[in-house]
């Protein structure tokens, strides 16, 4: 199975139009266009009954004490964890393309609703937890919300755009399911997978 993410080349920086946060000289970060990129996949396996789209960043610091704090840096030595940016399940086998901007076109404070979306069923991304302490932004974030790594992180973050072909029509997930729920539900049902990885940073020393 092959995947093309329009505008994102393997191992190369992700364009700002797909980002939740963009570099700002004055404030370190400002909201970005936050458009989901177009994704097209082909050479799907026989017997595929549905697809899952999963986008995650494996480079998020497991300890957030120094994140986006003036005069501090997030050490490259801190253990890293997955941050899910996009979860779509139960995409019908007849669909092999998601147009740019179809699932997200701008930052929506307090988030987009989980459940059936323009394509497939939206899961909850990790901004739900990350923004829980911000009264202006706290809410349930579902569907696509793009990169916004700490502006004081010592490492460049990687973003894995994945499509998984499954042997079931539905994973039976509903409500506020997250990336770990998706991984658990699709275990043993994956016929093929494909991935494109882009990079992103808001640290001016790494740009």
């Amino acid at each position: 199975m092959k995947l093309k993410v329009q505008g994102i080349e393997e191992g190369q920086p992700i364009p700002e139009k797909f980002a939740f946060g963009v570099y700002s000289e004055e404030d370190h970060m400002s909201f970005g266009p936050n458009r989901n990129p177009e994704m097209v996949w082909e050479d799907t396996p026989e017997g595929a009954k549905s697809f899952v789209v999963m986008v995650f960043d494996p480079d998020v610091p497991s300890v957030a004490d120094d994140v986006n704090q003036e005069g501090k840096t997030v050490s490259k030595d801190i253990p890293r964890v997955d941050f899910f940016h996009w979860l779509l399940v139960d995409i019908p086998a007849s669909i092999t393309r998601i147009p740019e901007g179809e699932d997200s076109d701008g930052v929506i404070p307090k988030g987009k609703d989980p459940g059936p979306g323009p394509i497939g069923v939206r899961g909850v991304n990790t901004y739900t937890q990350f923004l829980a302490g911000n009264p202006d932004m706290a809410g349930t974030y579902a569907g696509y919300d793009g990169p916004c790594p700490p502006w004081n992180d010592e490492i460049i973050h990687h973003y894995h755009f994945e499509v998984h072909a499954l042997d079931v029509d539905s994973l039976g997930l509903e409500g506020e399911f997250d990336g770990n729920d998706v991984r658990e539900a699709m275990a043993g049902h994956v016929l093929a997978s494909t991935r494109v990885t882009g990079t992103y940073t808001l640290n001016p020393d790494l740009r």
Side-chain angles (χ1 to χ4, degrees), residues 2-184:
K2 297 175 184 174
L3 171 63
K4 184 172 181 60
V5 183
Q6 191 66 36
I8 300 176
E9 298 294 331
E10 180 67 31
Q12 297 301 307
I14 294 171
E16 288 189 341
K17 68 176 176 176
F18 303 135
F20 188 98
V22 297
Y23 175 70
S24 166
E25 192 169 338
E26 293 179 4
D27 304 317
H28 300 292
M29 187 277 289
S30 59
F31 288 139
N34 201 41
R35 290 172 64 81
N36 71 269
E38 179 188 61
M39 295 179 63
V40 180
W41 53 98
E42 58 186 12
D43 297 338
T44 58
E46 279 190 42
K49 295 182 178 179
S50 70
F51 299 105
V52 165
V53 165
M54 178 181 289
V55 177
F56 66 98
D57 168 7
D59 297 320
V60 171
S62 57
V63 179
D65 296 354
D66 294 335
V67 166
N68 297 340
Q69 298 295 311
E70 291 284 356
K72 297 184 177 181
T73 59
V74 177
S75 170
K76 64 183 184 301
D77 298 323
I78 289 177
R80 304 289 167 150
V81 296
D82 290 345
F83 186 114
F84 294 97
H85 285 268
W86 198 8
L87 298 166
L88 293 178
V89 304
D90 300 356
I91 300 171
S94 58
I95 293 177
T96 56
R97 174 180 175 266
I98 299 175
E100 181 180 320
E102 181 79 7
D103 193 62
S104 180
D105 187 14
V107 173
I108 298 178
K110 302 186 184 299
K112 299 182 285 292
D113 292 332
I119 295 175
V121 178
R122 288 170 169 162
V124 173
N125 68 51
T126 313
Y127 281 106
T128 302
Q129 290 79 37
F130 182 70
L131 296 172
N134 182 332
D136 295 326
M137 297 294 290
T140 301
Y141 287 75
Y144 180 86
D145 285 301
C148 187
W151 48 258
N152 61 341
D153 203 335
E154 290 185 340
I155 70 170
I156 292 174
H157 285 225
H158 297 78
Y159 297 82
H160 300 312
F161 290 76
E162 297 182 342
V163 178
H164 305 278
L166 308 184
D167 63 3
V168 290
D169 296 311
S170 172
L171 289 178
L173 295 170
E174 54 188 32
E176 296 184 9
F177 62 88
D178 64 15
N180 292 321
D181 295 325
V182 175
R183 284 175 171 168
E184 185 176 333

